[in-house]
Amino acid sequence: MSLGSAHDRRQAAVRAAVGRGIVGDRHPVAGLLDVRGIRAAATALRTAFEEVGAPGTEVLHAFAVKASSLVPVLRLLADEGLGCEVAGPGELALARAAGVPPERTVLDSPAKTEAELREALALGIAVNADNRAELARLDRLVASAPTSSALGVRVNPQIGGGSIGAMSTATATSKFGVALRDEGARSWLVRAYQERPWLTRMHAHVGSQGCPPALMAEGVRVAYELAEEINEVVGRQQVVTMDIGGGLPVNFASDVVEPSYRDYARLLAATVPGLFDGRYGLVTEFGRSLLAKSGCVLARVEYTKSAGGRRIAVTHAGAQVATRTVFAPASWPLRVLAFDGAGRPLPDGDPVRQDVAGPCCFAGDLVAVDRPLPPLESGDHVALLDTGAYYFSNHFAYNSLPRPGVYGYVPAEDESDGIRFATVRTPQTLDELVAESGAAHAADLGALR
Ligand SMILES: *Cc1c(COP(=O)(O)O)cnc(C)c1O
């Protein structure tokens, strides 16, 4: 088997993970990350923007940390030349733990506290103000202490949403950014920049999964035109950096990467040519598209049963690792692959319609419903594909199910099973779980009188 393709690497990694007990009776579910796939995605991103940008254009690709809040992943991406986009003190702490320098970190969040803003400015982290009140806070902070932070404002181009409402950030009533088409907003923004020479960035993050790339590019065009207008009114290039956000959708239906970063960069260059003529530095904030296709959840099938004529495989991968798929199955369908007790692919010759259920104690804990799959048996395994972003890195602690281990893999000829693993996150122990659930305060409620 050649391990040159992501598919072949994944098959070998599943086999090796089962063979070595990374997934087994003691740890019935784990997340697996294809390190080569992640590196390839980072390279594709860098290359795509190099191809369309004027030579010498400064581009910071800031990975949206919420898509994979795992320090070793952030470090790997930093080694590949990426920075971090953070949305709060936890994500900022992760980026710092990964060694990402402040000047390669961007803070966006709709609810930054004064303390967070002060820390960001002291560290020199770029900040995009979400709204008018936050800009007023920045006024005070900037006046009170010098900062090397690059500062901007997030605008909502209000160009409409995609197919998933919860992922659409540029609707008329979105909670994010300054709503650009609301009455008076545009002139207010122009004046806000005019009065604040330290506002040198413009930020828009138009959408995410379900948003067509043409809509995203249109949002970038609207933000770019505002920056151009501001620079014209001010009479110099005050806005020097455009932060165009992330949001490239991922194909969850097959192993094909589409749209590619190259597709999107070319679309952007065609839609907003002035963005790439060398006058603007660029920041991007991709998350899902960098990681999704390089990760899978691997879980044991504990039991199989049948109810009302429906065949059901009860596995260890449910809402705790596939939260969105379980709660919004129509928007987040996942491919499921079936493997035997040794991690070998089950022949898919005679598929049987089955539900693939998780371990959580609520009826809707299903990752696939009535799905034709090879007949699963107790001791087999299932892999949930394209789950490298947002899935196992954003654990949902229902039923106090412990956070599973996460492991990166690469092909290795000198290993007997052809795979080398590195631990990304150790499985949470029951002691850790009990401790974080207030064990130190066990008697405190009863002592309240
Ligand atoms: C979530 C988010 C991103 C990343 O979105 P993806 O769809 O994962 O690429 C980028 N920027 C901001 C401000 C975000 O909130």
Side-chain angles (χ1 to χ4, degrees), residues 335-383:
R335 291 184 289 154
V336 178
L337 291 187
F339 297 87
D340 69 12
R344 293 174 299 228
L346 283 169
D348 45 16
D350 287 303
V352 177
R353 303 190 82 87
Q354 315 166 56
D355 286 0
V356 180
C360 300
C361 294
F362 65 97
D365 187 35
L366 304 168
V367 295
V369 175
D370 209 17
R371 177 85 57 94
L373 286 170
L376 289 162
E377 299 295 347
S378 173
D380 287 345
H381 296 85
V382 291

Side-chain angles (χ1 to χ4, degrees), residues 73-217:
V73 170
L74 306 182
R75 171 72 67 86
L76 176 70
L77 291 172
D79 290 347
E80 289 292 332
L82 276 64
C84 281
E85 186 265 353
V86 301
E91 290 182 359
L92 175 55
L94 298 181
R96 296 183 75 189
V100 176
E103 65 275 12
R104 303 186 66 75
T105 304
V106 180
L107 173 63
D108 299 323
S109 134
K112 307 175 200 78
T113 64
E114 182 130 358
E116 275 173 60
L117 289 169
R118 195 175 298 113
E119 185 192 12
L121 296 190
L123 289 168
I125 286 164
V127 176
N128 290 311
D130 179 82
N131 55 62
R132 299 177 187 218
E134 187 166 278
L135 198 51
R137 262 189 191 171
L138 282 181
D139 283 341
R140 290 197 301 278
L141 292 170
V142 166
S144 69
T147 176
S148 60
S149 293
L151 301 171
V153 176
R154 177 170 183 172
V155 297
N156 169 10
Q158 289 173 300
I159 47 164
S163 62
I164 308 175
M167 295 292 115
S168 300
T169 49
T171 58
T173 57
S174 166
K175 74 171 180 179
F176 291 112
V178 175
L180 184 53
R181 292 189 177 166
D182 281 11
E183 207 184 322
R186 194 177 187 93
S187 53
W188 180 84
L189 273 163
V190 172
R191 216 168 334 109
Y193 274 77
Q194 241 181 326
E195 291 165 355
R196 296 171 181 82
W198 41 268
L199 280 178
T200 59
R201 285 193 178 187
M202 176 77 62
H203 176 221
H205 168 63
V206 164
S208 191
Q209 192 64 23
C211 287
L215 184 76
M216 296 166 50

Side-chain angles (χ1 to χ4, degrees), residues 60-81:
L60 169 64
H61 297 291
F63 173 68
V65 170
K66 70 176 181 291
S68 183
S69 43
L70 297 165
V71 173
V73 170
L74 306 182
R75 171 72 67 86
L76 176 70
L77 291 172
D79 290 347
E80 289 292 332

Side-chain angles (χ1 to χ4, degrees), residues 263-435:
D263 296 337
Y264 183 50
R266 287 183 179 174
L267 175 66
L268 276 173
T271 311
V272 204
L275 190 56
F276 297 97
D277 64 12
R279 289 174 300 140
Y280 288 93
L282 292 175
V283 176
T284 74
E285 306 172 341
F286 294 100
R288 181 176 295 105
S289 52
L290 274 160
L291 265 290
K293 301 207 80 68
S294 296
C296 71
V297 172
L298 179 63
R300 244 161 68 95
V301 177
E302 197 60 51
Y303 301 110
T304 55
K305 63 203 287 188
S306 133
R310 177 72 57 84
R311 202 181 156 110
I312 304 164
V314 180
T315 79
H316 287 275
Q320 91 278 30
V321 288
T323 316
R324 277 188 174 144
T325 294
V326 166
F327 287 107
S331 297
W332 301 98
L334 288 177
R335 291 184 289 154
V336 178
L337 291 187
F339 297 87
D340 69 12
R344 293 174 299 228
L346 283 169
D348 45 16
D350 287 303
V352 177
R353 303 190 82 87
Q354 315 166 56
D355 286 0
V356 180
C360 300
C361 294
F362 65 97
D365 187 35
L366 304 168
V367 295
V369 175
D370 209 17
R371 177 85 57 94
L373 286 170
L376 289 162
E377 299 295 347
S378 173
D380 287 345
H381 296 85
V382 291
L384 313 183
L385 304 192
D386 309 322
T387 49
Y390 292 99
Y391 279 84
F392 47 78
S393 55
N394 285 301
H395 185 77
F396 173 48
Y398 198 84
N399 279 146
S400 295
L401 289 165
R403 278 187 290 278
V406 177
Y407 305 87
Y409 60 86
V410 290
E413 276 171 16
D414 53 338
E415 301 276 355
S416 60
D417 53 14
I419 289 289
R420 185 170 303 127
F421 287 104
T423 302
V424 174
R425 181 179 71 195
T426 50
Q428 188 178 32
T429 67
L430 296 184
D431 284 346
E432 288 165 350
L433 192 153
V434 168

Side-chain angles (χ1 to χ4, degrees), residues 57-58 151 193-194 196-202 223-243 273-282:
T57 301
E58 259 189 63
L151 301 171
Y193 274 77
Q194 241 181 326
R196 296 171 181 82
W198 41 268
L199 280 178
T200 59
R201 285 193 178 187
M202 176 77 62
Y224 164 81
E225 282 173 359
L226 175 62
E228 289 279 278
E229 182 180 336
I230 288 167
N231 288 341
E232 174 135 358
V233 168
V234 175
R236 66 183 177 94
Q237 177 111 18
Q238 177 176 329
V239 179
V240 291
T241 303
M242 291 295 298
D243 180 339
L275 190 56
F276 297 97
D277 64 12
R279 289 174 300 140
Y280 288 93
L282 292 175

